[in-house]
Amino acid sequence: MRPFAYACSLAAVAFAAEQWINEVDTGLTDYLFSTNYTEGHLPLLKDMRAVMDFDYAARQFLDNQKYSFYRTAAGGEWSYRNNLDVWKKVMLRPRHLHDVSKLNETLPVTFMGYNFSAPIFIAPAARGGYANPERAELNFVDAAAKENILYTAALYASKTIEELAAQKHNETMNGPQVMFQQACLSLLNHVQIYTNVNLSVTWDAMKRAEAAGAKAFVWTIDAPGDSTRHRAARYDTTNANAVTSALTWDLYDEIKSRTSLPVIPKGIVTVEDALLAVEKGAPAIYLSNHGGRQVEYSPSPLEVAYEIYRNAPQVFQQVEVMADSGVRYGTDVVKLLALGVKMVGLGRPFMYANCYGTEGVEKLIQILKTEIVHDAAQAGVTDLKKVPRNLVRLPTQFDTVLKY
Ligand SMILES: Cc1cc2nc3c(=O)[nH]c(=O)nc-3n(C[C@H](O)[C@H](O)[C@H](O)COP(=O)(O)O)c2cc1C
């Protein structure tokens, strides 16, 4: 090798960024290979001990096309990675000698007037049938009912609005099960077409959801066009978005005028849009960058919540706030609660857990609930409904104070 090239390669090694890994080492693979586990098979459910374990399990079980559709994200997947990495930039400030003995009792939450056992929910995600061809999202309905948490069904779920409604349970904390319905600009026959979005399909879907007993709509505002997703494109797996479309706040007004149900805008990533949503009378807002699947370089919910907190903290009093994207640990939930978020969602982990059916989804919910209580207790939180803001130490680069 020539001296210059040699020097360059040495420099490259010296400056090489640490290789990014999708999931931290929870000891899962070491453990599995010490048993008689064979790669390429679904590990035993009892061996799933962390939310990220389900990602590994799904990667073994699903074929590449299906796993890639769940896992895919936009562009170079920097937002996807940031969603998972951002939490480590935010330290906790644990307070000791606080009586946390009643913390468990503070896990339940009232959101939009309904009662749930924990401040977590199953985010809307399409094509549950990839993980579980027969029962698909029916498993989400069952597990959400058994664990008394909120499920927000996706418009492009594998099961129809009516099939999901028929699966609802009658005996939950709210009496009959409460579900929300995601809605978006619908495309005729799910075919991609330029701007020519067929609104009558959307109105029809909304009517059907209302008739089926949905309690609120979650209106996806962060899919005005098709997104660049190489990982899924490799298998010719397309999105359900138009190439471009006229998604506007005027349309939000029109949607609201067509239903008596609350309409929650999903995909807020700036304080400006949070304020606009409040001005437009949104009953709640949903902070999300769609798990990094739509616009590349859009911020994580932690960064967005902090931007709102710094620039317009009143928003958290004016409306209830939901958030998702990259949430994988109890501490992630606790950090968002500290910033004023009320309900925290997960997308991919539930899709992965569905490889195990209802039991897998239930186990994931139980893991999260346990972690939230353990982590909050360790940090000296006495009431999950009043997690103090100063529990989190936010880095200066998060401090985007805007001038109006
Ligand atoms: C496979 C998949 C399909 C999704 N489909 C939809 C959808 O149809 N509508 C929507 O608003 N969001 C959709 N999302 C985004 C989720 O609602 C949620 O915002 C995201 O998954 C949260 O990030 P996480 O996967 O890191 O938890 C989808 C996400 C995944 C992973």
Side-chain angles (χ1 to χ4, degrees), residues 50 63 75 115 185 236 249 296 337 356 375:
D63 67 36
N115 299 319
L185 287 185
D236 296 325
W249 283 108
E296 175 64 306
L337 297 182
Y356 292 95
D375 296 340

Side-chain angles (χ1 to χ4, degrees), residues 70 124-126 182 220 266 288 290-291 293 324-326 328 347-348:
Y70 286 169
Q182 179 257 342
T220 303
K266 170 179 187 275
S288 169
H290 215 117
R293 293 165 80 87
D324 75 22
S325 296
R328 301 292 184 265
R348 291 181 187 82

Side-chain angles (χ1 to χ4, degrees), residues 29-355:
T29 47
D30 283 351
Y31 173 77
L32 288 179
F33 292 113
S34 73
T35 66
N36 56 7
Y37 171 71
T38 322
E39 218 170 345
H41 292 82
L42 194 63
L44 296 175
L45 181 58
K46 77 169 181 54
D47 295 333
M48 298 293 101
R49 302 296 173 113
V51 172
M52 282 309 257
D53 289 352
F54 288 93
D55 192 328
Y56 176 86
R59 205 160 58 236
Q60 301 304 311
F61 180 67
L62 298 175
D63 67 36
N64 286 343
Q65 181 267 332
K66 293 187 173 69
Y67 175 76
S68 297
F69 174 70
Y70 286 169
R71 163 64 182 79
T72 200
E77 302 190 337
W78 299 111
S79 281
Y80 169 84
R81 295 177 199 197
N82 184 53
N83 285 347
L84 296 177
D85 285 349
V86 73
W87 313 100
K88 68 185 178 206
K89 296 182 191 154
V90 176
M91 288 292 137
L92 291 178
R93 301 181 60 254
R95 299 299 308 278
H96 297 308
L97 303 181
H98 284 187
D99 180 356
V100 295
S101 55
K102 300 227 160 44
L103 183 65
N104 213 7
E105 293 163 26
T106 68
L107 188 61
V109 64
T110 303
F111 181 72
M112 302 284 293
Y114 300 104
N115 299 319
F116 301 102
S117 66
I120 50 173
F121 66 95
I122 304 177
R127 302 187 210 180
Y130 276 7
N132 208 291
E134 204 186 309
R135 289 188 38 92
E137 295 86 4
L138 300 181
N139 296 324
F140 296 148
V141 181
D142 284 352
K146 286 188 187 152
E147 288 293 328
N148 276 296
I149 69 159
L150 173 66
Y151 169 42
T152 294
L155 184 62
Y156 294 123
S158 303
K159 296 288 177 188
T160 64
I161 289 171
E162 291 74 16
E163 284 169 325
L164 294 176
Q167 191 68 18
K168 279 197 273 189
H169 294 230
N170 277 325
E171 280 162 33
T172 72
M173 280 172 83
N174 296 299
Q177 185 172 2
V178 167
M179 275 168 41
F180 292 179
Q181 173 66 47
Q182 179 257 342
C184 58
L185 287 185
S186 310
L187 306 175
L188 195 57
N189 301 328
H190 302 198
V191 180
Q192 295 199 340
I193 41 175
Y194 281 92
T195 43
N196 188 13
V197 170
N198 188 336
L199 277 172
S200 65
V201 179
T202 304
W203 308 145
D204 178 58
M206 287 175 66
K207 270 205 200 102
R208 285 169 50 211
E210 245 179 296
K215 296 295 182 210
F217 285 111
V218 161
W219 177 258
T220 303
I221 64 167
D222 62 1
D226 204 2
S227 56
T228 305
R229 297 178 188 171
H230 300 129
R231 196 180 290 269
R234 213 165 288 293
Y235 299 92
D236 296 325
T237 315
T238 53
N239 306 323
N241 307 325
V243 176
T244 58
S245 68
L247 196 54
T248 62
W249 283 108
D250 286 344
L251 190 58
Y252 177 70
D253 288 338
E254 188 175 350
I255 289 156
K256 283 207 311 165
S257 73
R258 283 174 177 265
T259 176
S260 55
L261 294 181
V263 184
I264 305 168
K266 170 179 187 275
I268 302 268
V269 284
T270 60
V271 63
E272 289 92 330
D273 282 347
L275 286 167
L276 257 172
V278 173
E279 195 183 308
K280 289 279 180 185
I285 58 172
Y286 190 151
L287 317 182
S288 169
N289 69 4
H290 215 117
R293 293 165 80 87
Q294 290 302 122
V295 57
E296 175 64 306
Y297 300 112
S298 61
S300 69
L302 191 67
E303 290 158 304
V304 179
Y306 188 55
E307 182 174 301
I308 298 171
Y309 177 84
R310 287 290 281 152
N311 294 280
Q314 72 279 8
V315 167
F316 293 102
Q317 267 71 56
Q318 291 166 323
V319 289
E320 295 191 300
V321 180
M322 319 169 78
D324 75 22
S325 296
V327 174
R328 301 292 184 265
Y329 295 91
T331 45
D332 302 347
V333 176
V334 174
K335 286 174 183 175
L336 286 170
L337 297 182
L339 285 171
V341 171
K342 205 156 180 202
M343 283 289 253
V344 180
L346 292 84
R348 291 181 187 82
F350 283 115
M351 305 308 271
Y352 300 146
N354 200 17
C355 294

